[in-house]
Amino acid sequence: MMDLADKSVGFILSAISLSIFTYYTFWVIILPFVDSDHFAHKYFLDRKLAIIIPVLAGVALVSFLCIFIGLVMIKSKKKSS
Amino acid sequence: MKHIQKIVSLLVTISACWIGLLKASIIPHSYTWLLPIYLIVSLGCYGLLMVGYGLMIFPTCPKEAELLQKDIMEAKEFFKQRGVDVDSD
Protein backbone atom coordinates (compact mmCIF):
# COMPACT_ATOMS: atom_id res chain seq x y z
CA MET A 1 0.00 0.00 0.00
CA MET A 2 2.65 2.42 1.05
CA ASP A 3 4.81 1.90 -2.00
CA LEU A 4 1.85 2.65 -4.29
CA ALA A 5 1.45 6.05 -2.62
CA ASP A 6 5.22 6.63 -2.93
CA LYS A 7 5.20 5.66 -6.60
CA SER A 8 2.28 7.97 -7.39
CA VAL A 9 3.93 10.89 -5.56
CA GLY A 10 7.16 10.23 -7.48
CA PHE A 11 5.28 10.05 -10.75
CA ILE A 12 3.44 13.31 -10.06
CA LEU A 13 6.70 15.05 -9.13
CA SER A 14 8.49 13.93 -12.29
CA ALA A 15 5.48 14.85 -14.44
CA ILE A 16 5.42 18.36 -12.93
CA SER A 17 9.15 18.82 -13.44
CA LEU A 18 9.06 17.60 -17.07
CA SER A 19 6.10 19.83 -17.94
CA ILE A 20 7.74 22.87 -16.35
CA PHE A 21 10.95 22.14 -18.24
CA THR A 22 9.31 21.74 -21.64
CA TYR A 23 7.07 24.79 -21.16
CA TYR A 24 10.00 26.94 -20.12
CA THR A 25 12.18 25.69 -22.97
CA PHE A 26 9.47 26.48 -25.49
CA TRP A 27 8.88 29.87 -23.92
CA VAL A 28 12.50 31.02 -23.85
CA ILE A 29 14.15 29.30 -26.81
CA ILE A 30 11.68 28.22 -29.46
CA LEU A 31 9.03 30.96 -29.36
CA PRO A 32 11.22 33.84 -30.62
CA PHE A 33 11.81 31.88 -33.83
CA VAL A 34 8.12 31.39 -34.53
CA ASP A 35 6.26 34.00 -36.63
CA SER A 36 4.19 36.33 -34.54
CA ASP A 37 0.87 35.38 -36.12
CA HIS A 38 1.20 31.66 -35.34
CA PHE A 39 -1.58 30.24 -33.17
CA ALA A 40 0.89 28.90 -30.55
CA HIS A 41 1.59 32.38 -29.23
CA LYS A 42 -1.83 32.35 -27.56
CA TYR A 43 -0.78 29.57 -25.20
CA PHE A 44 2.30 31.32 -23.87
CA LEU A 45 2.25 34.44 -21.73
CA ASP A 46 4.22 37.58 -22.36
CA ARG A 47 7.97 37.00 -22.50
CA LYS A 48 8.67 39.51 -19.75
CA LEU A 49 6.91 37.13 -17.34
CA ALA A 50 9.42 34.41 -18.25
CA ILE A 51 12.00 36.33 -16.22
CA ILE A 52 9.77 37.65 -13.45
CA ILE A 53 8.16 34.33 -12.46
CA PRO A 54 11.39 32.37 -11.74
CA VAL A 55 12.88 35.37 -9.91
CA LEU A 56 9.75 35.68 -7.76
CA ALA A 57 9.81 31.95 -7.07
CA GLY A 58 13.48 32.13 -6.07
CA VAL A 59 12.87 35.10 -3.76
CA ALA A 60 9.90 33.31 -2.19
CA LEU A 61 11.99 30.18 -1.63
CA VAL A 62 14.88 32.07 -0.01
CA SER A 63 12.55 34.07 2.25
CA PHE A 64 10.70 30.90 3.27
CA LEU A 65 14.01 29.26 4.20
CA CYS A 66 15.10 32.31 6.23
CA ILE A 67 11.78 32.47 8.08
CA PHE A 68 11.91 28.75 8.82
CA ILE A 69 15.48 28.93 10.15
CA GLY A 70 14.56 31.98 12.24
CA LEU A 71 11.55 30.24 13.77
CA VAL A 72 13.61 27.17 14.62
CA MET A 73 16.29 29.33 16.24
CA ILE A 74 13.72 31.23 18.31
CA LYS A 75 12.10 28.00 19.42
CA SER A 76 15.39 26.47 20.49
CA LYS A 77 16.39 29.60 22.40
CA LYS A 78 13.05 29.65 24.23
CA LYS A 79 13.50 26.02 25.21
CA SER A 80 17.02 26.51 26.55
CA SER A 81 16.25 29.62 28.62
CA MET B 1 37.58 23.73 1.88
CA LYS B 2 38.33 21.82 -1.32
CA HIS B 3 34.63 21.42 -2.00
CA ILE B 4 34.05 25.17 -1.82
CA GLN B 5 36.99 25.70 -4.17
CA LYS B 6 35.49 23.26 -6.67
CA ILE B 7 32.12 25.00 -6.57
CA VAL B 8 33.65 28.47 -6.87
CA SER B 9 35.83 27.44 -9.81
CA LEU B 10 32.77 25.94 -11.55
CA LEU B 11 30.84 29.19 -11.04
CA VAL B 12 33.79 31.24 -12.34
CA THR B 13 34.09 29.14 -15.52
CA ILE B 14 30.35 29.37 -16.18
CA SER B 15 30.31 33.15 -15.75
CA ALA B 16 33.42 33.48 -17.92
CA CYS B 17 31.67 31.51 -20.68
CA TRP B 18 28.61 33.71 -20.31
CA ILE B 19 30.56 36.98 -20.49
CA GLY B 20 32.49 35.58 -23.46
CA LEU B 21 29.22 34.81 -25.20
CA LEU B 22 28.02 38.33 -24.49
CA LYS B 23 31.12 39.92 -25.97
CA ALA B 24 31.42 37.65 -29.04
CA SER B 25 27.73 38.05 -30.05
CA ILE B 26 27.39 34.71 -31.78
CA ILE B 27 23.91 34.30 -30.27
CA PRO B 28 21.37 37.18 -30.37
CA HIS B 29 21.59 39.35 -27.27
CA SER B 30 18.14 38.57 -25.98
CA TYR B 31 19.17 34.93 -25.59
CA THR B 32 22.40 35.57 -23.73
CA TRP B 33 20.61 37.65 -21.12
CA LEU B 34 18.09 34.90 -20.48
CA LEU B 35 20.62 32.05 -20.43
CA PRO B 36 21.58 32.06 -16.68
CA ILE B 37 17.96 32.14 -15.54
CA TYR B 38 17.13 29.33 -17.96
CA LEU B 39 20.05 27.26 -16.66
CA ILE B 40 18.97 27.74 -13.03
CA VAL B 41 15.37 26.79 -13.80
CA SER B 42 16.47 23.70 -15.71
CA LEU B 43 18.81 22.72 -12.84
CA GLY B 44 15.92 22.91 -10.37
CA CYS B 45 13.79 20.90 -12.76
CA TYR B 46 16.51 18.27 -13.06
CA GLY B 47 16.74 17.96 -9.26
CA LEU B 48 12.98 17.53 -8.98
CA LEU B 49 13.03 14.93 -11.74
CA MET B 50 15.75 12.94 -9.96
CA VAL B 51 13.77 13.02 -6.70
CA GLY B 52 10.59 11.85 -8.44
CA TYR B 53 12.43 9.14 -10.36
CA GLY B 54 14.15 7.87 -7.21
CA LEU B 55 10.79 7.72 -5.45
CA MET B 56 9.34 5.66 -8.28
CA ILE B 57 12.28 3.26 -8.48
CA PHE B 58 12.76 2.79 -4.73
CA PRO B 59 12.51 -0.94 -3.90
CA THR B 60 10.39 -2.16 -1.02
CA CYS B 61 11.11 -5.59 0.45
CA PRO B 62 7.85 -6.97 1.91
CA LYS B 63 9.38 -10.33 2.88
CA GLU B 64 12.21 -8.67 4.75
CA ALA B 65 9.70 -6.38 6.47
CA GLU B 66 7.79 -9.41 7.74
CA LEU B 67 10.97 -11.09 8.96
CA LEU B 68 11.95 -7.88 10.72
CA GLN B 69 8.61 -7.69 12.53
CA LYS B 70 9.05 -11.31 13.60
CA ASP B 71 12.53 -10.56 14.90
CA ILE B 72 11.20 -7.58 16.87
CA MET B 73 8.49 -9.70 18.50
CA GLU B 74 11.03 -12.40 19.37
CA ALA B 75 13.32 -9.83 20.98
CA LYS B 76 10.43 -8.35 22.97
CA GLU B 77 9.45 -11.82 24.28
CA PHE B 78 13.05 -12.58 25.15
CA PHE B 79 13.45 -9.38 27.15
CA LYS B 80 10.07 -9.74 28.85
CA GLN B 81 11.12 -13.14 30.16
CA ARG B 82 14.19 -11.54 31.72
CA GLY B 83 12.04 -8.85 33.29
CA VAL B 84 12.96 -5.87 31.09
CA ASP B 85 10.05 -4.05 29.49
CA VAL B 86 11.01 -2.75 26.05
CA ASP B 87 7.51 -2.18 24.75
CA SER B 88 7.30 1.36 23.44
CA ASP B 89 3.57 1.98 23.97
Side-chain angles (χ1 to χ4, degrees), chain A residues 3 6-7 9-11 13-14 16-18 20-21 24-25 28-29 32-33 47 51 54, chain B residues 28 30-31 34 37-38 41-42 44-46 48-53 55-58 60:
Chain A
D3 55 344
D6 282 344
K7 276 198 173 48
V9 167
F11 182 69
L13 268 185
S14 21
I16 288 179
S17 89
L18 274 178
I20 288 183
F21 179 68
Y24 202 69
T25 308
V28 173
I29 297 190
F33 287 129
R47 265 189 103 206
I51 305 180
Chain B
S30 60
Y31 275 154
L34 287 178
I37 305 177
Y38 176 71
V41 168
S42 64
C45 247
Y46 170 72
L48 207 61
L49 182 74
M50 283 293 121
V51 167
Y53 181 70
L55 263 182
M56 278 205 292
I57 295 291
F58 199 77
T60 57

Side-chain angles (χ1 to χ4, degrees), chain A residues 25-39:
Chain A
T25 308
F26 262 97
W27 209 0
V28 173
I29 297 190
I30 298 189
L31 222 53
F33 287 129
V34 173
D35 297 324
S36 27
D37 49 352
H38 204 270
F39 74 98

Side-chain angles (χ1 to χ4, degrees), chain B:
Chain B
M1 205 52 202
K2 281 210 177 136
H3 205 57
I4 297 182
Q5 281 175 358
K6 266 195 257 182
I7 295 178
V8 166
S9 59
L10 191 67
L11 278 178
V12 164
T13 40
I14 290 182
S15 37
C17 287
W18 185 55
I19 296 182
L21 268 183
L22 267 183
K23 286 284 165 76
S25 26
I26 308 173
I27 307 178
H29 254 107
S30 60
Y31 275 154
T32 14
W33 282 110
L34 287 178
L35 202 61
I37 305 177
Y38 176 71
L39 284 178
I40 293 179
V41 168
S42 64
L43 178 74
C45 247
Y46 170 72
L48 207 61
L49 182 74
M50 283 293 121
V51 167
Y53 181 70
L55 263 182
M56 278 205 292
I57 295 291
F58 199 77
T60 57
C61 325
K63 288 195 209 122
E64 276 81 355
E66 240 185 77
L67 287 178
L68 188 63
Q69 293 296 333
K70 229 186 271 180
D71 277 346
I72 293 177
M73 297 232 315
E74 268 184 42
K76 277 192 198 163
E77 292 299 322
F78 177 79
F79 277 115
K80 205 174 257 184
Q81 282 172 6
R82 311 299 165 102
V84 181
D85 190 12
V86 286
D87 219 342
S88 55
D89 43 20

